[in-house]
Amino acid sequence: MSSAAAAKPNPELIFGTLISYQHAFALKAAIELDLFTAIAEGNTDAASLAKRVNASERGVRILADGMTVQGFLRKEHGKYSLSQDSAIFLDQRSPAYMGAMADFLVSEENIRNFSQFASCVRKGGTVSSIGDNSKPVDHRWVGFAKAMGSMAAPVAGALSQMVSSNPSAGIKILDIAAGHGMYGITVARNNPNVHVTAVDWPAVLEVAQENARKAGVADRYSIRPGSAFDADLGTGYDYVFITNFLHHFDIATNEKLLRRFHAALKPGGKAVTVEFVPNEDRVTPPMAAAFSMVMLINTDAGEAFTFAEYEAMHRNAGFKNTVLEAPPDLPQRLVVAEA
Amino acid sequence: MSSAAAAKPNPELIFGTLISYQHAFALKAAIELDLFTAIAEGNTDAASLAKRVNASERGVRILADGMTVQGFLRKEHGKYSLSQDSAIFLDQRSPAYMGAMADFLVSEENIRNFSQFASCVRKGGTVSSIGDNSKPVDHRWVGFAKAMGSMAAPVAGALSQMVSSNPSAGIKILDIAAGHGMYGITVARNNPNVHVTAVDWPAVLEVAQENARKAGVADRYSIRPGSAFDADLGTGYDYVFITNFLHHFDIATNEKLLRRFHAALKPGGKAVTVEFVPNEDRVTPPMAAAFSMVMLINTDAGEAFTFAEYEAMHRNAGFKNTVLEAPPDLPQRLVVAEA
């Protein structure tokens, strides 16, 4: 598309992008201070908020104004109130609370890794020591499990629907690198017919088991501690869930992993991969395409693979009928393949 | 405004804000690797770009895809090209090149300070050692002077117009905390009738003097090294430029400073303050309002003041007829007051 007249030069996108980190740190601070819960409780001006969150009035005023600029709060006559999404996702008392995400997404480690972005581009992978991902890195993955469970809910709903359409009597699910476990746990909670076996490092599985207890499915939740690369996975599963996992590795490694998962499935069982899957142009849709940068920074060889790449990986690992499913209104995609 | 039906809950703004720092580091890396200049030179695919910027092809491909997602590049059939604004502001060969901004805006020091945001809210000011701003901090302000000069051009154009409408014969301008000096220097270049006297720390003034030489106005450029708080400023100026300076201090300190500037002006001379000036609600317009957070993090007591506050400060310092001027299409405002 060419326009008749060129737009006026404007450095705002450049400037705004370079200072965008300020927004991340500001929102993290507001979550850390529990500003949103405090407002929801009825502390709506800077003075009472400051008292409630144990901070200076000047600091709280500037932060709350900043949160208003960013769309998380409203301000009328000097009184702050929550946006609808802040009330749902940032009030600690809400069942859909997501504030814990900030601990992982804006962790010191992630900031440090991203601050070496140019070095990662030169090398073609992370310059940190965490890039291999075949050995346990407890501080990182326990942190992930504790922080990111709330993000799983929408996709877990889509997985529950898929599984509930299965007429089998006792449905066995293998949840690879389960992390917080919330994909398998949610499916088990929604389907009394389901038994989940979770694989992850021992310290991470403690978080998943605690989540399974809280969800009331502990009696249908087993664990197999260890690495997806060499743990005994068992056999005869109806589904293997591979959620946000394959993006950590290169294609050859993923094919090796997928062959192991294929062997664990019963004939006709399904591998269900949850991923950000960019289009073949690798620059759309934005969230999925941009995710490759996160993997460039944090892994040796991972990235957001396209569906053509996933189809080939699954085919080379012995799967058939690989399809891409797009749950409505979600940025993630499901890659579903048959053993 | 109330809508008939509530919007569907969506955590995307929260998630997107928490990962926004990734965009800042990615753009900084692309600038550091000189990716934009390399593309402008005709290296349009990942392989040739990698060779030109001395980086891995995989890293360059992921970065260039990310820059495309963010709107700085276009990608067609695997070939990258610059957006109009990237060609103007991010190609090193362009006279309007602004890439150096990244060194200051995404400096380690700024990242470190922002990563302590919650502590700054608790305290009501910076937790770093740089908050006082009445003593020289060479690494920071020489860095600022070297990085941020390109940002001054649009406002400097507006200042040039203001000064050129002055019928006086020899116009004397005092440039307070001149930094890169580009406000005064640009006005001098556009008005052969102008002599500029710059005040700043000695190491910073070296950058301004170099810029004055490059602009061909060194013979009309004097310096008074030292602090705006206690240097001998001289007298009889037609204008004093106070650019991005008063936001570092509290109101009482600013009144003290403004009294010094008032004494340096000739009767009828004008103080011209360049600032982000939020509306009285302190949450609009976005860029000006959000700037208070930057000052909360980096200073003891500074912020983005409203015009009502600036009017009172100037009045208390002896000025009259203080007005707010909005140069077209710019986020900054001019506060102009008469001695």
Side-chain angles (χ1 to χ4, degrees), chain A residues 8 43 77 101 151 187 228 232 237 242-243 249 263 265 268 284 289:
Chain A
K8 206 169 166 176
N43 306 284
H77 311 295
M101 282 200 306
M151 278 292 281
V187 172
D232 176 3
Y237 295 99
I242 314 159
T243 58
F249 311 104
L265 283 163
T284 57

Side-chain angles (χ1 to χ4, degrees), chain B residues 183-223:
Chain B
Y183 295 101
I185 289 165
T186 305
V187 172
R189 201 181 52 208
N190 291 334
N191 301 269
N193 213 11
V194 156
H195 186 104
V196 175
T197 301
V199 177
D200 212 317
W201 311 115
V204 180
L205 284 178
E206 286 178 28
V207 180
Q209 286 185 296
E210 174 63 20
N211 286 337
R213 272 191 293 276
K214 281 186 199 157
V217 301
D219 56 329
R220 292 181 285 122
Y221 202 76
S222 309
I223 60 170

Side-chain angles (χ1 to χ4, degrees), chain B residues 171-188:
Chain B
I171 298 175
K172 285 176 65 185
I173 296 175
L174 177 64
D175 194 354
I176 295 291
H180 42 67
M182 290 311 294
Y183 295 101
I185 289 165
T186 305
V187 172

Side-chain angles (χ1 to χ4, degrees), chain A residues 7-8 21 58 84 105 121 124, chain B residues 7 21 56 58 84 105 124 329:
Chain A
K8 206 169 166 176
Y21 66 89
R58 168 182 144 80
Q84 178 189 278
L105 294 175
V121 175
Chain B
Y21 67 88
S56 71
R58 170 182 143 79
Q84 177 189 279
L105 294 174
D329 301 324

Side-chain angles (χ1 to χ4, degrees), chain B residues 321-334:
Chain B
N321 301 330
T322 303
V323 295
L324 184 68
E325 297 188 9
D329 301 324
L330 290 180
Q332 297 96 333
R333 296 289 177 267
L334 308 183

Side-chain angles (χ1 to χ4, degrees), chain A residues 15-80:
Chain A
F15 185 80
T17 299
L18 289 173
I19 65 168
S20 60
Y21 66 89
Q22 300 174 355
H23 305 168
F25 286 118
L27 178 55
K28 187 189 184 191
I31 291 169
E32 190 178 329
L33 291 163
D34 211 9
L35 187 77
F36 300 101
T37 310
I39 292 171
E41 289 170 353
N43 306 284
T44 59
D45 59 78
S48 55
L49 276 170
K51 194 172 289 184
R52 162 67 175 74
V53 307
N54 200 20
S56 71
E57 181 175 337
R58 168 182 144 80
V60 165
R61 168 176 62 78
I62 291 174
L63 176 61
D65 284 345
M67 290 296 101
T68 307
V69 173
Q70 291 176 30
F72 300 110
L73 297 177
R74 282 184 297 255
K75 183 183 187 185
E76 283 174 300
H77 311 295
K79 305 270 189 185
Y80 303 99

